[in-house]
Amino acid sequence: MRFLYTLLFLLCLLNEIKAQSKAGPGSKTPSATFSATGYVRDAKTGKPIQGVNIVVLDVSKGYVTAKDGFYIVQLPPGNYIFRFSHIGYRAKQDTITLQKTLFREMTLEDDSKDLEEVVVTSEAPDRNVRKVEIGVSQLTIRSIRRIPPLMGEVDIVRSLLLLPGVTTVGEGAPGFNVRGGSADQNLILFDDAPVFNSSHLMGFFSVFNPDVVRDVTLNRGGVAAAFGGRASSVLDVKIKEPDAEKWGVNGGIGIISSRLGVEGPLIKNKLSFLAAVRASFNDFLFKLAPPNLRGTTANFYDITTKFKYQPSEKHTVTFTGYVSTDVFKLASDSLSGQEINASSTKFNYQTMMGSLHWNYFINKQLNLSTAAILSRYQADLSSADSSNAFQLKSGVWHRQLKTDLTYTPNETHQWQAGLSAIDYSIQPNTRVPGPFSNVLPIDIARERAYELAAYLQDEWKLNADISLIAGLRYSALLNRGPASVRTYQENGPLQDETVTSTQSYGAGKIYHSTGGLEPRLAVRWSLGEGKAVKAGYSRLRQYIQQVTNTTAALPTSRWHLSDTYTKPVIADQWSLGYFRNTADNAIEVSGEVYYKTLTNAIDYRDGAELQLAQAVETQIVQGSGQAYGFEGLLRKNKGRWTGFMSYTYARTFLTMNSPYANERVNSGSPYPANYDKPHTLNALATHRPTAWFSMSLNFTFSTGRPTTQPAAIARVAGVLVPIYLDRNQQRVPAYHRLDFSMTFEQNPAKKKRNQSSWVFSVYNVYAHKNAYSVFYKLSPASAADAYKLSIFGTAFPSLTYNFKF
């Protein structure tokens, strides 16, 4: 594989040398070309528009704007007619005279009267066929708002669950799973800052305020070389740019949370500012709940800010900041009727992120982007019981510097190169006893490391039918002190009893390193108008993992860096897809198959206690894994009825085999992962009979996730003890749900500065009691009596009022 990528890069270089040699001595001087460059923005908000189709009518050439709305068109001198078009906007033509390099800004007006709008994506009409990447999906906030919300909350992460290949282990579970990966194997970026906990209220809602989100891109198969550090996918959430011309206020009032935002220019067209607050104060709702829930507390708030400073067309500086806090406390008797032991444990967790970006548009061929990033996540678990009172604290600190250079020498090549350096510091857990507690204090040593990376990538258009993206990334992890590293007996299991010595390392001392190459490749072959076949390969390395022995990771679940005994997870994925659009792009059909192998996959040992283990390697095991599946998508883009249907068949198996019995799982045989759900079907339909009213229906079905049930019961000293054999050989019942929503907006024909809308929705329309988990009550008369625990066992109506002025 390394040889293949070396060959591809040599071909790229030879192609450049060949092109330059044509202008060498004795050759005819080629005719001059000039560039028309600029940005395409929303006429109302000033926000850049990605994926705008630009067609030069006189020469039948086509171009597409980049993520920041930027475009570059190179043509010989002359007069040309450019046509700009994008779904949801009125097409616009512009006549230009190209005699020198020309910078030209273009604005498009929102076509709010157009009923034929895309509901699930804002990409160009045939971009799913023309783009080279495979396994990449993009959503805009406009499309996400069409999905029926839970309790009135438009949710970014929940919308991803409608995409093929994306699942969750259960209703209300934090995070999501992509193509056989665990939730911690997704790199979630918020304006380039990594998010270590993407949920509020223990997983019911995501941390992203929908009022500030511009677009969301999920890379589940074709991960660019610029990204790394996680083994499954990249979720790239971009914040909208503040309005640089006028002030505005927006927000919403809902049952669960309310939102308020403001944006506008501090210095017109140079310095602009955005701030948005979202808060939830739900204690009054629990006072209306059944008696066993009235002591529950569940609140959160988050604040998002963004500054943009653009002193000139070449320089842009932005700063994005985010802080959030969650407090969750379950009433002590809330589950007593289900024979589950519960306590008044209180969860308190905070996130703080900041990213400072400087973008330098050097010239029409070169663009430099540099960023300084900080992300901090802290979790606190406490119990107020006097005799057993304690406080458990943990945290992750991520500090990063990175730079990316884009070089576009001509229409056939776009080179990208970059460097990244991350400084990790992890506080696994610190337990502090209460004033009169019998609990003993525990302080686990911090983990520290540097993660370094460099990459090179080229998007190469070989001819009209074949294009490819070839990239190579190198990453490395360097563990540093202060640290104490154990040495275990040779030819023995990793456990406390086999420790032979401990080596101490001073502050800053590098005591272990690991790393390797990560090749990336995507190829597109056009089969004609509106038809294409794509293939891809990627290798991803993950050096930071969340280790847990629960199906869904808690906010306090432990993060752990790769080290001497925990190897980085390595994922190799191959994918192949067919994409087809009708002539007018009204109907899209696609199908993808993939196969993934996991090296050094992580799971927990039987009976593991991870939270307070001094040495994680004694509680986990590493082995291999494989994931494979098919993802199909049928989408209707135009008409009064729009929507899509997706189907996913996916399997994920892990194998944890070892010469030592206590390091084997399932006797060393393959077993389904916790998130293995073979069949998933999603359907979304939106009817928009007028420009001011729409209604949506969403249906989802999935196979129940694996679970392990007792095979027998033993009586030990008069106590009934369950006996478990093989892991994950049973399943909870299948999951299915129907949602409904109606949106009432102002009539766009009546031009008003103030805008408002009402959204009425019903989550789980037919009140199906989906099983989140199955638990057992031990009985001497039978092996175990099974009970089903449902999170949402009834229909949840909600009403939300949104405003903007």
Side-chain angles (χ1 to χ4, degrees):
M1 185 55 66
R2 294 183 184 179
F3 171 76
L4 173 62
Y5 273 85
T6 303
L7 180 61
L8 286 171
F9 280 117
L10 288 175
L11 287 173
C12 294
L13 293 174
L14 288 173
N15 186 67
E16 292 297 321
I17 295 171
K18 181 180 178 181
Q20 293 175 13
S21 66
K22 292 182 180 180
S27 63
K28 183 179 179 180
T29 303
S31 59
T33 61
F34 297 107
S35 298
T37 67
Y39 294 89
V40 181
R41 302 181 184 274
D42 187 299
K44 189 173 184 179
T45 65
K47 310 301 186 298
I49 309 173
Q50 177 187 1
V52 175
N53 277 331
I54 305 173
V55 178
V56 185
L57 299 181
D58 309 271
V59 294
S60 299
K61 285 191 173 183
Y63 306 84
V64 178
T65 58
K67 288 185 177 181
D68 56 359
F70 182 76
Y71 69 92
I72 178 170
V73 178
Q74 294 179 321
L75 294 167
N79 297 323
Y80 299 96
I81 300 176
F82 284 23
R83 186 177 188 273
F84 299 81
S85 64
H86 191 284
I87 292 181
Y89 292 89
R90 294 190 180 95
K92 191 173 184 178
Q93 290 189 176
D94 187 27
T95 301
I96 68 168
T97 299
L98 196 61
Q99 298 295 343
K100 60 180 181 178
T101 298
L102 181 68
F103 185 88
R104 201 175 189 89
E105 286 227 356
M106 184 61 57
T107 58
L108 298 182
E109 295 183 356
D110 188 352
D111 193 357
S112 56
K113 294 181 181 180
D114 185 8
L115 301 183
E116 298 181 346
E117 72 171 346
V118 171
V119 179
V120 293
T121 180
S122 72
E123 296 178 329
D126 60 345
R127 184 168 168 78
N128 64 310
V129 175
R130 290 191 298 105
K131 67 182 180 182
V132 182
E133 302 96 332
I134 184 171
V136 178
S137 301
Q138 186 184 54
L139 299 171
T140 65
I141 195 60
R142 289 179 58 187
S143 63
I144 293 171
R145 291 188 188 279
R146 302 296 184 195
I147 301 171
L150 168 61
M151 299 183 188
E153 279 293 309
V154 175
D155 192 84
I156 304 301
V157 172
R158 189 174 299 278
S159 67
L160 301 176
L161 300 179
L162 298 180
L163 297 175
V166 184
T167 61
T168 180
V169 296
E171 203 163 36
F176 55 94
N177 306 98
V178 178
R179 289 189 174 181
S182 57
D184 70 303
Q185 291 178 358
N186 303 311
L187 177 62
I188 303 175
L189 300 175
F190 193 64
D191 261 8
D192 286 343
V195 180
F196 290 96
N197 184 359
S198 62
S199 66
H200 282 311
L201 295 183
M202 303 294 288
F204 290 113
F205 307 108
S206 71
V207 297
F208 307 111
N209 185 337
D211 290 344
V212 301
V213 173
R214 185 185 75 193
D215 57 56
V216 180
T217 304
L218 179 66
N219 300 266
R220 63 187 185 276
V223 178
F227 299 110
R230 299 294 188 276
S232 189
S233 73
V234 178
L235 176 63
D236 192 10
V237 180
K238 293 299 184 184
I239 304 304
K240 68 179 183 179
E241 294 184 357
D243 196 318
E245 295 187 352
K246 61 181 182 299
W247 284 92
V249 177
N250 63 82
I253 301 173
I255 296 176
I256 298 300
S257 71
S258 295
R259 314 177 313 276
L260 181 65
V262 60
E263 61 177 317
L266 300 175
I267 303 175
K268 193 171 184 179
N269 294 323
K270 281 191 177 293
L271 178 61
S272 52
F273 166 74
L274 175 151
V277 179
R278 183 172 56 155
S280 169
F281 304 99
N282 301 313
D283 293 350
F284 74 96
L285 290 176
F286 291 107
K287 292 179 181 179
L288 304 176
N292 61 330
L293 288 174
R294 290 178 184 173
T296 298
T297 299
N299 295 312
F300 72 86
Y301 77 86
D302 57 52
I303 303 173
T304 308
T305 61
K306 187 168 186 176
F307 290 86
K308 179 184 178 183
Y309 178 55
Q310 190 168 16
S312 66
E313 293 176 349
K314 287 183 173 290
H315 297 275
T316 303
V317 179
T318 61
F319 172 78
T320 302
Y322 176 90
V323 293
S324 72
T325 296
D326 276 73
V327 177
F328 183 85
K329 178 181 178 182
L330 194 63
S332 60
D333 57 349
S334 59
L335 297 176
S336 59
Q338 305 293 338
E339 300 296 336
I340 301 176
N341 294 322
S343 67
S344 56
T345 300
K346 182 179 180 180
F347 293 88
N348 188 317
Y349 47 100
Q350 304 91 31
T351 294
M352 184 185 75
M353 297 181 292
S355 58
L356 179 65
H357 291 82
W358 169 50
N359 191 82
Y360 178 27
F361 177 68
I362 302 171
N363 55 45
K364 65 181 181 181
Q365 294 180 323
L366 288 170
N367 188 82
L368 178 68
S369 179
T370 304
I373 299 164
L374 170 68
S375 180
R376 186 191 71 185
Y377 174 70
Q378 292 179 293
D380 185 306
L381 184 151
S382 61
S383 175
D385 294 339
S386 58
S387 60
N388 296 304
F390 70 91
Q391 188 177 30
L392 194 66
K393 298 180 179 180
S394 62
V396 181
W397 287 260
H398 171 114
R399 305 172 185 88
Q400 180 180 9
L401 291 174
K402 72 169 193 169
T403 186
D404 302 275
L405 180 67
T406 302
Y407 174 51
T408 309
N410 50 50
E411 295 179 6
T412 59
H413 286 278
Q414 185 180 69
W415 290 86
Q416 287 183 295
L419 300 171
S420 171
I422 301 173
D423 178 12
Y424 285 118
S425 179
I426 297 179
Q427 175 58 61
N429 271 310
T430 298
R431 188 171 69 183
V432 180
F436 307 103
S437 176
N438 297 321
V439 175
L440 296 177
I442 294 179
D443 190 4
I444 301 177
R446 282 179 179 259
E447 300 178 19
R448 298 173 176 87
Y450 298 117
E451 182 180 332
L452 308 177
Y455 76 91
L456 180 66
Q457 176 178 289
D458 181 31
E459 183 170 352
W460 183 10
K461 185 177 180 181
L462 279 75
N463 52 49
D465 295 328
I466 302 177
S467 301
L468 64 84
I469 298 177
L472 189 63
R473 180 183 180 92
Y474 179 82
S475 64
L477 186 79
L478 288 73
N479 301 93
R480 73 180 195 276
S484 296
V485 180
R486 292 178 168 187
T487 300
Y488 295 90
Q489 293 177 3
E490 292 187 13
N491 304 319
L494 301 180
Q495 56 190 38
D496 294 337
E497 293 76 15
T498 60
V499 176
T500 59
S501 64
T502 301
Q503 177 70 45
S504 296
Y505 296 89
K509 177 70 174 179
I510 303 299
Y511 64 87
H512 175 262
S513 63
T514 184
L517 294 174
E518 303 175 36
R520 317 283 171 83
L521 177 65
V523 181
R524 171 190 172 273
W525 178 26
S526 175
L527 302 179
E529 188 67 26
K531 295 179 290 184
V533 171
K534 303 179 188 181
Y537 166 77
S538 65
R539 166 169 284 194
L540 299 167
R541 291 175 179 267
Q542 180 166 341
Y543 301 104
I544 181 171
Q545 298 87 20
Q546 192 174 33
V547 290
T548 178
N549 55 1
T550 59
T551 301
L554 294 172
T556 54
S557 293
R558 184 172 180 173
W559 287 91
H560 173 59
L561 289 168
S562 297
D563 56 19
T564 307
Y565 299 106
T566 305
K567 299 177 182 178
V569 178
I570 302 174
D572 291 277
Q573 182 177 200
W574 295 261
S575 52
L576 178 67
Y578 175 74
F579 301 81
R580 173 70 186 269
N581 286 11
T582 57
D584 59 351
N585 297 302
I587 304 293
E588 298 178 16
V589 179
S590 65
E592 295 182 41
V593 293
Y594 67 89
Y595 179 77
K596 179 193 291 186
T597 62
L598 292 172
T599 304
N600 305 325
I602 294 177
D603 208 346
Y604 61 92
R605 302 187 186 193
D606 292 334
E609 296 184 4
L610 294 166
Q611 286 286 65
L612 296 172
Q614 292 287 350
V616 172
E617 65 268 17
T618 64
Q619 305 298 315
I620 63 173
V621 289
Q622 290 192 274
S624 62
Q626 63 172 341
Y628 54 87
F630 165 80
E631 300 168 359
L633 179 67
L634 172 64
R635 174 155 48 201
K636 183 177 185 293
N637 293 327
K638 297 185 177 183
R640 295 178 183 267
W641 281 98
T642 56
F644 73 96
M645 181 171 64
S646 67
Y647 169 73
T648 302
Y649 174 76
R651 299 307 310 268
T652 306
F653 295 94
L654 300 176
T655 303
M656 302 294 163
N657 200 3
S658 170
Y660 313 108
N662 66 338
E663 293 183 351
R664 289 196 294 265
V665 176
N666 201 39
S667 303
S669 300
Y671 61 94
N674 287 338
Y675 33 87
D676 175 69
K677 302 174 77 171
H679 302 282
T680 302
L681 175 69
N682 293 301
L684 174 68
T686 299
H687 182 48
R688 193 174 178 88
T690 70
W692 53 269
F693 172 76
S694 64
M695 56 177 282
S696 297
L697 288 168
N698 170 60
F699 176 76
T700 182
F701 168 87
S702 64
T703 308
R705 64 168 179 82
T707 187
T708 303
Q709 70 181 31
I713 292 178
R715 186 181 293 274
V716 180
V719 178
L720 296 178
V721 178
I723 304 299
Y724 295 94
L725 297 178
D726 296 335
R727 187 178 295 184
N728 288 350
Q729 300 304 303
Q730 296 80 33
R731 291 184 181 272
V732 301
Y735 179 97
H736 54 90
R737 190 190 77 243
L738 176 69
D739 307 326
F740 168 77
S741 72
M742 294 188 299
T743 302
F744 300 86
E745 302 172 282
Q746 288 181 344
N747 190 338
K750 299 178 181 179
K751 300 294 183 180
K752 292 184 178 181
R753 175 175 172 79
N754 301 336
Q755 302 176 32
S756 64
S757 65
W758 288 92
V759 180
F760 172 74
S761 64
V762 181
Y763 183 86
N764 194 14
V765 171
Y766 52 83
H768 181 62
K769 294 184 178 180
N770 289 297
Y772 179 81
S773 64
V774 175
F775 60 95
Y776 303 90
K777 180 182 177 182
L778 302 182
S779 171
S782 61
D785 296 327
Y787 295 85
K788 182 173 69 174
L789 177 64
S790 298
I791 302 297
F792 294 107
T794 186
F796 277 87
S798 64
L799 182 66
T800 303
Y801 173 70
N802 300 304
F803 59 87
K804 183 177 182 180
F805 56 86

